[in-house]
């Protein structure tokens, strides 16, 4: 049954629909010589320039269509008789949309008749219309469910009212032996791997099959091809497949659709009302050359004629952002502690075992056959995690230092739901500053009204005016900056022989103010403590007393050493420079900072760089309210180490318990301490990174 399209004003519902579909319209041509078949996508608009399609001498036109076809004319013609032909002008445009999907091919019809000056019929153009619903759907509202045709699925917006789907780098391994990262394989070997991927659903409704020659293709750009892969279920039933572990061959129910070598591939149109599920995996993290955004497109192609390429008549786009790698600060709950066992670190190891057991966390000891004598667990790796609404797992960042522990992160940590990432640098560019004792992260802070709910990464570099200083290698710095959510801060650490920020600073939890304190090494605090001892009559109290083979040194000797005093004045100036940077960049007041009494000495062989004079108490491990602190072997007063007493007093006010661990021979003498020799995997933040206001 046909309905006549009148000259009256456009109905309000059509005005609204036209506004909604303005971004999804395509031009269609009429042919008065022969009927045409047209495939229409629900939610879009067909635009026909009536004058361009008209026979010569046409002055008027009329339009008829079946009830499920909505038509309007732009600009709206002047109203005359209800059934009279409409005057044709050069700008007359017919806008066509449909309200429901077709049950059969060509089950709707539209005709346009053209008339001469005296209303004689000059031609009749007929369109046979088939309507289909097509949507490429993702979890654009970030609630863990793939909703239908979210209007914001084609863009990304940060914040709690933001939108856009999230993609994880599939950097774990479903295997525990002969392991390989899942992102390195062009196939799925276990169904469990699918949960690391983002779901994407192709939803269609319409006739049993598309008209002859039409096809659906999924495609990505060349620039995105190195960052993403797409798999699909072979059929609707495949999503219910339960498969056992497969080691020898890929799962046949999940064929690869798109990768770096296949940028476009036809995908099935299933007919009637149907869904086909796809699985999208990220292949690389945001970096200097990759902002983390990926677009996946689905296009409906129309045939022109045999031998000519098809042309796209509709494209739906889904945008993903690759989840960043996120570091965890000392204020988050520990999960597991990692240390090395070596032939000479028994005292250290015993102290760590007692501390971890008392704290109630898991302990992983890397034995010598794995560490090959490399005891610096902190320097080799940094723990973090990746997160999305559908999946979250820890990811270890492997440093480019590549000591004898270099295989530990990959061989011992990588596995199911435990990812791995590294950055490769040229050996000539790698220095001590690339060890991850030089990579820390603050607790959450607010700075001048700007929130950093995931804290800020802290790295050590050369002084800004230095021309020959050491720096963290560029590939690592670029990676850290590209993660966006923990904007880095650069401190001056090249004044130290080893050059790590953990030699002069750390964070501990606190019950008040900003919920943490920044601890800074302070030679000034050290000299103040020693002068107080002298004034109280303890000038002859000895440091290192009974510590073989060290020679004991009195408080008076330390205070009378003018050269040592001058060196510590220099060190204090370096730390004060960093103190000012941290106060500004973290929004700290002096009340948020605690100065720890620690002295340094300069090493001429290292280019007059500084080393801790006695075990560096700031270089500690933080396990909830329990602190593992290098035993300083300070001067004893009434049988108690004055340095330990001061630390206990300072930390006790925060409700923290101090355990002093003897690392003197096995770590301190090798220019490291407790923190350098340990590492902690922690619980992730409750805050979701995509809610960050960027």
């Amino acid at each position: 049954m046909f309905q006549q399209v009148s000259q009256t004003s456009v109905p309000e519902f059509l005005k609204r629909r036209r506004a909604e579909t303005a971004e999804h319209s395509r031009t269609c041509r009429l042919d008065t010589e022969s009927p045409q078949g047209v495939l229409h996508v629900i939610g879009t608009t067909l635009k026909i320039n009536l004058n361009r399609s008209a026979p010569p001498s046409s002055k008027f036109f009329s339009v008829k269509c079946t009830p499920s076809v909505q038509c309007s004319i732009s600009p709206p013609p002047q109203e005359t008789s209800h059934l009279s032909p409409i005057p044709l002008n050069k700008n007359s445009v017919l806008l066509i949309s449909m309200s429901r999907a077709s049950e059969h091919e060509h089950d709707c019809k539209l005709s346009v008749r053209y008339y001469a000056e005296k209303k004689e019929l000059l031609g009749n153009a007929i369109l046979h219309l088939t309507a289909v619903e097509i949507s490429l759907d993702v979890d654009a509202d970030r609630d863990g469910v793939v909703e239908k045709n979210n209007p914001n699925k084609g863009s990304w917006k940060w914040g709690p009212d933001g939108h856009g789907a999230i993609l994880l780098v599939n950097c774990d391994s479903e295997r525990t032996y002969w392991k390989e990262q899942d992102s390195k394989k062009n196939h799925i070997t276990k169904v469990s791997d699918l949960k690391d991927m983002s779901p994407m659903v192709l939803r269609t409704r319409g006739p049993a099959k598309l008209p002859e020659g039409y096809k659906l293709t999924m495609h990505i750009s060349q620039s995105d091809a190195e960052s993403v892969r797409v798999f699909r279920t072979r059929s609707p039933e495949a999503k219910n497949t339960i498969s056992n572990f497969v080691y020898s061959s890929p799962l046949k129910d999940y064929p690869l659709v798109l990768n770096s070598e296949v940028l476009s591939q036809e995908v099935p149109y299933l007919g009637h009302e149907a869904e086909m599920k796809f699985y999208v995996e990220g292949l690389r993290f945001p970096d200097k050359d990759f902002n983390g955004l990926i677009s996946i497109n689905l296009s409906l192609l129309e045939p022109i004629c045999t031998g000519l390429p098809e042309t796209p008549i509709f494209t739906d786009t889904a945008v993903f952002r690759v989840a960043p790698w996120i570091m965890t600060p000392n204020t988050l709950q520990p999960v597991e502690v990692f240390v090395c066992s070596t032939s000479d670190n028994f005292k250290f190891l015993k102290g760590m075992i007692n501390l971890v057991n008392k704290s109630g966390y898991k302990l992983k000891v890397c034995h010598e056959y794995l560490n090959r004598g490399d005891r610096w667990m902190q320097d080799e790796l940094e723990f973090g995690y990746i997160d999305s609404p559908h999946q979250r797992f820890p990811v270890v960042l492997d440093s480019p230092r590549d000591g004898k522990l270099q295989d530990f992160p990959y061989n011992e940590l990588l596995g199911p739901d435990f990812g791995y990432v590294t950055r490769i640098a040229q050996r000539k560019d790698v220095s001590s500053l690339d060890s991850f004792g030089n990579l820390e992260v603050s607790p959450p802070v607010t700075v001048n009204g700007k929130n950093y709910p995931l804290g800020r990464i802290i790295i050590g570099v050369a002084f800004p005016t230095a021309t020959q200083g050491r720096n963290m290698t560029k590939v690592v710095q670029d990676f850290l900056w590209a993660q966006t959510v923990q904007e880095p801060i650069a401190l001056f650490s090249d004044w130290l022989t080893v050059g790590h920020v953990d030699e002069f600073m750390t964070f501990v939890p606190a019950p008040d103010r900003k919920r943490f304190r920044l601890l800074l090494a302070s030679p000034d605090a050290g000299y103040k403590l020693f002068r107080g001892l002298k004034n109280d009559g303890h000038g002859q109290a000895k440091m290192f007393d009974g510590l073989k083979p060290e020679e004991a040194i009195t408080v008076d000797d330390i205070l009378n050493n003018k050269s040592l005093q001058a060196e510590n004045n220099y060190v204090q100036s370096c730390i004060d420079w960093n103190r000012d940077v941290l106060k500004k960049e973290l929004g700290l007041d002096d009340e948020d900072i605690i100065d720890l009494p620690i002295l340094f000495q300069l090493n001429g062989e290292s280019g007059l760089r500084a080393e801790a004079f006695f075990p560096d108490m700031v270089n500690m491990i933080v396990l909830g309210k329990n602190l593992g602190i290098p035993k300083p072997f300070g001067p004893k007063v009434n049988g108690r180490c004055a340095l330990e007493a001061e630390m206990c007093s300072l930390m006790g006010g925060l409700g923290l318990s101090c355990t002093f661990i003897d690392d003197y021979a096995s770590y301190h003498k090798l220019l490291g301490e407790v923190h350098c020799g340990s590492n902690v995997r922690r619980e992730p933040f409750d805050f979701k990174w995509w809610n960050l206001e960027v």
Side-chain angles (χ1 to χ4, degrees):
M1 183 179 74
F2 275 86
Q3 59 182 358
Q4 179 81 29
V5 177
S6 73
Q7 304 176 51
T8 56
S9 331
V10 181
E12 282 302 315
F13 84 92
L14 282 179
K15 288 182 179 178
R16 289 196 303 271
R17 185 166 186 83
R18 246 182 19 219
E20 292 168 357
T21 60
E23 295 182 1
H24 298 282
S25 62
R26 70 180 178 100
T27 299
C28 181
R29 290 179 291 116
L30 294 176
D31 188 348
T32 56
E33 300 296 324
S34 60
Q36 295 172 266
V38 173
L39 186 61
H40 172 72
V41 180
I42 301 294
T44 68
T45 302
L46 292 172
K47 297 171 62 175
I48 297 174
N49 186 305
L50 292 168
N51 185 60
R52 192 172 71 178
S53 301
S57 304
S58 296
K59 300 297 181 180
F60 299 92
F61 69 94
S62 64
V63 181
K64 289 184 178 181
C65 59
T66 49
S68 61
V69 179
Q70 290 87 43
C71 298
S72 64
I73 299 162
S74 178
Q78 295 295 320
E79 185 173 356
T80 57
S81 170
H82 178 68
L83 298 177
S84 297
I86 302 168
L88 179 69
N89 65 58
K90 64 179 181 179
N91 295 321
S92 294
V93 174
L94 179 64
L95 301 174
I96 304 169
S97 60
M98 297 180 70
S99 58
R100 61 174 178 82
S102 298
E103 296 183 5
H104 309 286
E105 184 178 343
H106 297 166
D107 62 357
C108 295
K109 187 176 179 181
L110 177 142
S111 70
V112 178
R113 293 189 174 190
Y114 291 98
Y115 305 92
E117 183 73 41
K118 296 183 178 181
K119 311 292 177 68
E120 312 98 293
L121 180 65
L122 296 178
N124 185 20
I126 297 176
L127 293 182
H128 295 287
L129 295 162
T130 305
V132 294
E133 289 185 21
I134 300 173
S135 64
L136 185 63
D137 293 329
V138 293
D139 179 18
D141 60 3
R142 307 165 184 166
D143 64 353
V145 177
V146 177
E147 64 275 10
K148 185 174 181 179
N149 218 13
N150 188 306
N152 297 315
K153 64 186 176 182
S155 62
W156 172 270
K157 180 183 176 184
W158 292 90
D161 62 343
H163 57 258
I166 293 167
L167 191 61
L168 296 179
V169 176
N170 196 7
C171 58
D172 66 339
S173 173
E174 297 308 303
R175 298 178 179 179
T176 53
Y177 297 97
W178 306 289
K179 65 179 69 173
E180 182 181 21
Q181 284 180 277
D182 295 335
S183 57
K184 306 296 184 184
K185 301 190 292 283
N186 264 332
H187 55 268
I188 295 171
T189 56
K190 292 184 184 178
V191 172
S192 56
D193 190 25
L194 297 176
K195 68 184 182 194
D196 300 334
M197 304 183 191
S198 295
M200 181 171 67
V201 179
L202 169 58
R203 293 185 169 108
T204 56
R205 180 183 297 194
K209 63 178 184 178
L210 294 175
E212 184 68 26
Y214 285 86
K215 64 175 66 171
L216 289 172
T217 65
M218 187 172 288
H219 52 102
I220 53 177
S221 68
Q222 183 72 57
S223 60
D224 286 345
E226 300 297 326
S227 306
V228 69
R229 259 200 314 251
V230 180
F231 298 86
R232 71 169 174 88
T233 51
R234 189 172 294 280
S235 65
E237 293 75 27
K239 62 185 177 184
N240 298 318
T241 299
I242 299 177
S243 178
N244 293 324
F245 291 169
V246 176
Y247 293 99
S248 58
S249 62
L251 295 182
K252 296 179 180 179
D253 283 330
Y254 302 94
L256 180 65
V257 179
L258 301 175
N259 65 359
S260 59
E261 297 177 357
V262 181
L263 304 184
S264 178
Q265 187 169 148
E266 184 177 355
V267 296
Y269 169 81
L270 299 178
H272 303 301
E273 185 173 0
E275 293 185 359
M276 174 164 281
K277 197 164 187 179
F278 294 80
Y279 297 92
V280 187
E281 68 172 348
L283 302 181
R284 61 175 182 147
F285 284 91
D287 214 324
K288 183 182 179 182
D289 59 345
F290 174 47
N291 66 4
L293 290 174
I294 290 170
S295 297
I296 298 177
N297 308 288
L298 181 81
S299 290
L300 177 62
L301 303 185
E302 179 181 56
I304 303 300
C305 69
T306 304
L308 294 179
E310 303 95 347
T311 58
I313 60 172
F314 169 78
T315 297
D316 206 11
T317 299
V319 168
F320 292 87
R321 176 174 282 278
V322 175
W325 179 78
I326 301 172
M327 284 182 65
T328 52
N330 286 349
T331 48
L332 289 176
Q333 187 75 7
V335 175
E336 191 171 14
V337 179
F338 294 78
V339 295
C340 288
S341 172
T342 63
S343 60
D344 63 350
N345 76 340
F346 173 76
K347 289 183 179 180
F348 166 82
L349 193 58
K350 181 180 178 181
M352 288 295 298
I353 291 172
N354 291 338
L355 172 66
V356 175
N357 288 342
K358 178 176 71 173
S359 303
Y361 305 114
K362 292 190 294 185
L363 178 67
K364 168 77 172 181
V365 178
C366 176
H367 294 284
E368 198 156 14
Y369 73 92
L370 290 174
N371 65 53
R372 299 178 294 175
D374 187 349
R375 68 197 68 211
W376 308 111
M377 182 61 77
Q378 182 67 220
D379 290 339
E380 184 58 43
L381 57 96
E382 188 68 56
F383 288 109
Y385 69 96
I386 56 177
D387 193 12
S388 73
H390 64 277
Q391 174 69 313
R392 178 176 71 189
F393 56 80
V395 177
V396 60
L397 175 62
D398 190 358
S399 83
R401 79 182 272 268
D402 287 347
K404 292 181 179 179
L405 266 172
Q406 63 177 333
D407 296 330
F408 178 80
Y410 192 94
N411 290 346
E412 301 300 318
L413 299 177
L414 172 64
D417 294 333
F418 205 123
Y420 171 92
V421 63
T422 190
R423 282 297 174 267
I424 306 299
Q426 295 185 21
R427 294 308 304 166
K428 66 180 180 62
D429 296 330
V430 177
S431 72
S432 174
L433 273 66
D434 290 300
S435 297
F436 283 166
N438 197 34
L439 174 60
E440 297 298 319
V441 65
S442 79
V445 292
T446 299
V447 185
N448 296 325
K450 181 175 181 180
N451 291 324
Y452 296 91
L454 302 174
R456 298 188 68 179
I457 284 172
I458 296 170
I459 63 171
V461 298
F463 196 72
T465 60
T467 57
Q468 300 296 324
R470 301 165 297 172
N471 274 298
M472 180 177 282
T473 190
K474 188 174 183 298
V475 293
V476 174
Q477 291 199 51
D478 287 344
F479 172 82
L480 297 173
W481 273 99
Q483 305 316 301
T484 303
V485 297
Q486 296 177 303
E487 183 181 328
I489 301 167
L491 299 181
F492 169 38
S493 67
D494 192 36
W495 57 274
L496 289 152
T497 298
V498 177
H500 297 175
V501 293
D502 69 352
E503 297 177 76
F504 64 86
M505 62 160 290
T506 195
F507 298 94
V508 294
D512 56 1
R513 296 189 62 80
K514 295 179 173 64
R515 313 301 296 180
F516 71 89
R517 293 290 191 275
L518 167 64
L519 308 185
L520 286 178
S522 172
D524 282 355
Y527 275 99
K528 183 177 181 179
L529 175 68
F530 288 135
R531 290 189 189 105
L533 293 176
K534 178 180 176 62
N535 292 342
D536 291 339
H538 302 294
Q540 291 302 302
K542 296 179 180 179
M543 289 207 66
F544 312 131
D545 192 18
L547 181 64
K548 303 295 183 181
E550 295 301 319
E551 182 178 344
I553 181 171
T554 67
V555 170
D556 285 343
D557 288 338
I558 292 172
L559 293 175
N560 292 332
N561 189 331
K562 301 303 182 185
S563 176
L564 183 64
Q565 174 78 68
E567 292 174 5
N568 276 280
N569 288 341
Y570 163 72
V571 167
Q572 187 66 62
S573 70
C574 294
I575 294 174
D576 284 345
W577 192 91
N578 289 312
R579 181 193 187 99
D580 292 338
V581 173
L582 289 165
K583 287 176 66 175
K584 175 183 176 183
E585 298 294 337
L586 297 179
L588 303 181
D589 300 319
D590 285 328
E591 291 80 5
D592 300 311
I593 302 172
I594 296 177
D595 294 313
L596 303 185
I598 299 167
L599 300 185
F600 294 81
Q601 58 189 350
L602 299 189
N603 184 339
E605 295 180 2
S606 67
L608 286 180
R609 290 185 167 100
E611 302 163 2
F613 180 62
F614 52 83
D616 187 352
M617 293 185 293
V618 79
N619 193 276
M620 64 178 69
I621 185 172
V622 180
L623 300 178
K625 293 187 176 182
N626 294 315
L627 309 180
I629 302 171
K631 186 175 180 61
F633 295 97
K636 292 182 178 180
V637 176
N638 298 324
R640 188 181 184 190
C641 171
L643 290 169
E644 289 186 17
E646 179 69 5
M647 278 295 298
C648 290
S649 174
L650 293 171
M651 297 299 100
L654 302 176
L656 302 176
S657 173
C658 299
T659 297
F660 294 94
I661 297 173
D662 183 354
D663 71 351
Y664 195 91
S666 55
Y667 289 86
H668 173 72
K669 295 295 286 184
L670 300 175
L671 305 185
E673 307 287 0
V674 170
H675 187 259
C676 305
S678 60
N679 218 315
V680 184
R681 180 168 70 89
R682 300 180 185 273
E683 293 284 359
F685 286 98
D686 291 331
F687 182 86
K688 300 302 183 182
W689 63 266
W690 51 88
N691 290 328
L692 188 68
E693 299 281 3
V694 174

